[in-house]
Amino acid sequence: KQEVTQIPAALSVPEGENLVLNCSFTDSAIYNLQWFRQDPGKGLTSLLLIQSSQREQTSGRLNASLDKSSGRSTLYIAASQPGDSATYLCAVNGGGSQGNLIFGKGTKLSVKP
Amino acid sequence: SAVISQKPSRDICQRGTSLTIQCQVDSQVTMMFWYRQQPGQSLTLIATANQGSEATYESGFVIDKFPISRPNLTFSTLTVSNMSPEDSSIYLCSIRTGRYSEAFFGQGTRLTVV
């Protein structure tokens, strides 16, 4: 059974710092991995989708990497801003009849001005 | 990406009552999903609602408790029936165009049962 773990559970950094969020999964047989952002009490905003054949994806200040064989992904945020404060979730698509997503519990990021 | 509208955004309900949550998409999509996010937890899939077929429920979720409708390719509803305080959660609808495509989410419905 696929399990997704995100470490740390919470992270507080000063504005301007570069940071890395981690996501690990137990079954390397995935089709893709997606990173989301969730603001308190709200829905999820898709940040990046990495297909299993890809090593990394970039969008603005965000860079996500994927090492399928070791069951790891990282989300790198450059020059963090207070507006980046949110919970970041990763989810893996392990296939199946519907391509169900398995989510981690998230990393709650706080960027201090 | 498609715009997904969920209603209501939040509600406070009495135990024993039912609430129907609506999910409207501004384009036609085949795959629609309903998730639950309990306080402090991650997302758990309730069911997959593909148009033209019965909803497929995940282990631990049953149709009598969470009936789903999917009348067309742009709309779905999830009903939370006979609510108890344990049903207090954020409920989210999600869409994908294909099994391995990018997932998009609505803004969620924050439900509190008292």
Side-chain angles (χ1 to χ4, degrees), chain A residues 31-32 34 36 38 40-49 51 89-90 93-106, chain B residues 9-10 31 33 35 37 40-45 48 50 56 58 90 92 94 96 98-108 110:
Chain A
Y31 286 87
N32 57 51
Q34 194 166 353
F36 297 89
Q38 184 176 31
K42 301 293 186 182
L44 277 63
T45 300
S46 177
L47 298 174
L48 290 163
L49 172 71
Q51 300 294 348
L89 297 160
C90 70
N93 185 331
S97 61
Q98 304 292 340
N100 293 346
L101 298 182
I102 307 298
F103 283 82
K105 290 187 175 182
Chain B
S9 58
R10 57 174 59 217
M31 305 182 81
F33 306 84
Y35 287 85
Q37 186 179 30
Q41 301 299 313
S42 191
L43 278 74
T44 302
L45 181 65
T48 301
N50 293 337
T56 303
E58 296 299 301
I90 298 175
L92 301 110
S94 174
R96 298 213 299 271
R99 210 188 320 174
Y100 309 126
S101 63
E102 189 173 4
F104 298 98
F105 284 78
Q107 285 302 296
R110 187 166 203 158

Side-chain angles (χ1 to χ4, degrees), chain A residues 1-55:
Chain A
K1 178 186 172 185
Q2 178 75 269
E3 292 183 2
V4 179
T5 303
Q6 291 187 247
I7 295 173
L11 180 65
S12 181
V13 301
E15 181 177 5
E17 192 163 296
N18 302 326
L19 60 101
V20 174
L21 307 180
N22 297 293
C23 172
S24 61
F25 44 95
T26 55
D27 186 347
S28 62
I30 66 168
Y31 286 87
N32 57 51
L33 183 145
Q34 194 166 353
W35 283 93
F36 297 89
R37 167 191 173 131
Q38 184 176 31
D39 292 291
K42 301 293 186 182
L44 277 63
T45 300
S46 177
L47 298 174
L48 290 163
L49 172 71
I50 311 179
Q51 300 294 348
S52 62
S53 59
Q54 297 175 315
R55 296 285 294 185

Side-chain angles (χ1 to χ4, degrees), chain B residues 15-18 65 80-84 87:
Chain B
R15 68 177 66 202
T17 62
S18 297
K65 176 68 175 177
V80 186
S81 304
N82 188 25
M83 288 184 285
S84 66
D87 294 320

